[in-house]
Amino acid sequence: MSLSQALSLHRNYFGVEPKTAVFAPGRINLIGEHTDYNGGFVMPCAIDLGIWVVGRIVDGESRLMSDSAGPGKPFDTTNTDRKPNGWSKYPAGMAWALSDPFGPMPNIEATVVSNLPMGSGVSSSAAMELAFGKLFQALVGFEADARQLALLGQKCENQYVGVNCGIMDQMASACGKKNNAICLDTRSLEIEYAPVDPSLAVVLLDTKKPRALTDSAYNERRSQCEAAASAMGVPQLRDADLEMLLSQKAKLDEVVFRRARHVVTEDARSTAFKVALAESDRNGIFALMKGSHDSLRDDYEVSCPELDAMAESAWLAPGIFGARMTGAGFGGACVALVERTREEAFTEAVLMSYAKATGREGEAIVCSIDDGARILQS
Ligand code: ADP
Ligand code: MG
């Protein structure tokens, strides 16, 4: 997939030349899972898989095409109360979110081409939001920095699409930096870039198990976290640590206690991971990523047999530095850090062992860490 494919699909479908081209990446989260809605620490990176959008301003309704999802439902940016069904919600929602600070957005004709799997834990939804944010920015010419576009992407997803996500995905797609992980404080939105040793490859291990219906489980986890914070008298779980949690255990329901234990220990692991990564400390990286997976499986209960089988296969494969489930869970993918010289032996061993354990054919994609959402042509 590439810009040239987006341009030729656009010409074929709309019969005209688009004016503008943009790209927004997906993301892989190295560590810090389910902490972003608790004000905590995360460490994602933008990857070289993502979404290209080309388009132009038109009179009349907005019309869209996607190589992977087909034609989008038409919508009108001057009447944002009428929400389109299906994937057009993302561009329509971005037009709606952007119109608050920047005035009404124009109607567009746009084509989407993507090599980012949907619903696999690499956040195709945030890439859609940032891609359309950038497209409107290129077409209209308003000033907005990466952080502001990320916040508007989250507003689109929370309030227009209706998914109650945190800020990590949009910040990662917006603020990515080549060969660097993003150490993000999800409360202050402060970023520190952490170079990733070029001898390490980031490998996406897709279980090919479609994510099960996760909305209710996700919302339940969020309210359990809020219940734990409020029982301990802190604004968010970010403000607690394991010692405080253990001292207040009696106040908490058993399940709520385990949910909170995941979040506070995951924040500690994220902080420690930054140091381990900087030192390319193999044992440290391995233990912290495994600790994250174990905690997501046992305390937060968002793993599934396929994610467990993939992670277990990766832990035993040649060249492994560390692996764990990534993304919200209940299906989707694992992330692994692997010695670059052994990535082929690694992926072969993992996929074979995964197939043996589950009877499923997984997919391994060796990714590069890339820059954030950008205008390619305006
Ligand atoms: P993810 O984990 O990939 O973010 P979501 O369920 O949050 O999963 O978002 C996936 C949704 O985003 C799809 O159902 C679709 O509506 C939209 N989407 C993602 N990629 C594309 C694309 N290439 N073309 C059209 N819509 C897309
Ligand atoms: Mg998403």
Side-chain angles (χ1 to χ4, degrees):
M1 288 313 143
S2 66
L3 174 58
S4 62
Q5 276 162 299
L7 290 169
S8 74
L9 179 58
H10 192 88
R11 284 179 201 122
N12 286 341
Y13 188 72
F14 292 110
V16 289
E17 203 62 26
K19 181 174 182 299
T20 295
V22 299
F23 175 78
R27 63 100 188 93
I28 294 187
N29 188 24
L30 297 181
I31 201 157
E33 212 65 74
H34 287 282
T35 54
D36 66 339
Y37 49 85
N38 290 296
F41 302 98
V42 296
M43 219 165 146
C45 34
I47 53 176
D48 58 339
L49 303 177
I51 294 182
W52 287 263
V53 182
V54 298
R56 64 182 191 121
I57 294 177
V58 293
D59 293 330
E61 284 185 323
S62 288
R63 296 200 306 139
L64 290 109
M65 181 62 183
S66 158
D67 72 324
S68 31
K73 293 272 184 293
F75 61 90
D76 182 355
T77 55
T78 62
N79 180 6
T80 47
D81 292 342
R82 252 189 46 225
K83 271 188 211 177
N85 291 322
W87 68 267
S88 282
K89 271 200 208 77
Y90 292 89
M94 273 318 277
W96 167 79
L98 291 163
S99 70
D100 187 17
F102 304 119
M105 290 295 122
N107 277 299
I108 55 170
E109 216 167 57
T111 299
V112 176
V113 158
S114 168
N115 59 6
L116 199 57
M118 295 183 213
S120 290
V122 283
S123 203
S124 66
S125 59
M128 285 286 278
E129 289 145 14
L130 269 295
F132 280 94
K134 279 281 163 197
L135 185 80
F136 281 114
Q137 186 179 31
L139 292 170
V140 175
F142 54 80
E143 296 275 336
D145 65 11
R147 191 174 276 117
Q148 189 176 14
L149 282 185
L151 285 165
L152 291 168
Q154 185 195 22
K155 182 177 173 183
C156 159
E157 185 140 352
N158 290 168
Q159 295 179 34
Y160 196 92
V161 178
V163 175
N164 203 11
C165 60
I167 188 62
M168 169 173 69
D169 299 352
Q170 290 79 8
M171 281 296 283
S173 182
C175 303
K177 182 172 167 185
K178 203 173 175 62
N179 299 329
N180 281 262
I182 305 164
C183 305
L184 170 66
D185 176 333
T186 62
R187 178 181 283 167
S188 67
L189 297 190
E190 256 165 52
I191 278 178
E192 220 179 287
Y193 290 106
V196 176
D197 186 339
S199 68
L200 288 184
V202 178
V203 183
L204 180 70
L205 298 167
D206 192 344
T207 63
K208 296 284 174 182
K209 157 103 193 316
R211 210 170 40 194
L213 254 188
T214 54
D215 277 9
S216 55
Y218 182 83
N219 289 333
E220 185 189 46
R221 297 298 182 286
R222 284 186 73 131
S223 26
Q224 287 163 335
C225 289
E226 281 159 23
S230 120
M232 288 192 284
V234 291
Q236 283 183 298
L237 285 178
R238 147 77 180 268
D239 304 296
D241 60 15
L242 187 59
E243 201 184 329
M244 179 196 274
L245 179 66
L246 290 171
S247 73
Q248 313 251 345
K249 189 173 177 189
K251 286 190 193 162
L252 301 172
D253 165 278
E254 192 268 334
V255 176
V256 168
F257 169 76
R258 283 191 292 115
R259 302 295 189 249
R261 183 166 60 186
H262 165 70
V263 175
V264 299
T265 58
E266 186 76 354
D267 269 342
R269 279 186 292 271
S270 298
T271 307
F273 190 81
K274 198 159 99 181
V275 179
L277 192 68
E279 294 171 353
S280 297
D281 164 12
R282 187 175 203 147
N283 291 335
I285 290 172
F286 190 94
L288 290 164
M289 290 181 86
K290 182 171 186 302
S292 171
H293 187 94
D294 291 346
S295 172
L296 287 158
R297 181 193 60 220
D298 299 336
D299 273 353
Y300 220 61
E301 296 183 273
V302 292
S303 190
C304 62
E306 291 81 3
L307 284 168
D308 292 341
M310 192 65 97
E312 282 157 22
S313 303
W315 293 333
L316 296 173
I320 182 73
F321 261 67
R324 58 174 209 94
M325 58 161 278
T326 187
F330 304 108
C334 288
V335 56
L337 286 171
V338 181
E339 271 174 71
R340 256 195 202 286
T341 51
R342 300 173 82 184
E343 60 196 29
E344 222 168 286
F346 173 82
T347 53
E348 198 178 310
V350 172
L351 294 181
M352 200 189 293
S353 151
Y354 175 72
K356 210 164 144 193
T358 61
R360 277 177 188 274
E361 202 178 321
E363 188 186 5
I365 306 177
V366 180
C367 300
S368 297
I369 302 180
D370 211 344
D371 291 326
R374 52 203 180 259
I375 295 169
L376 303 173
Q377 183 183 308
S378 69

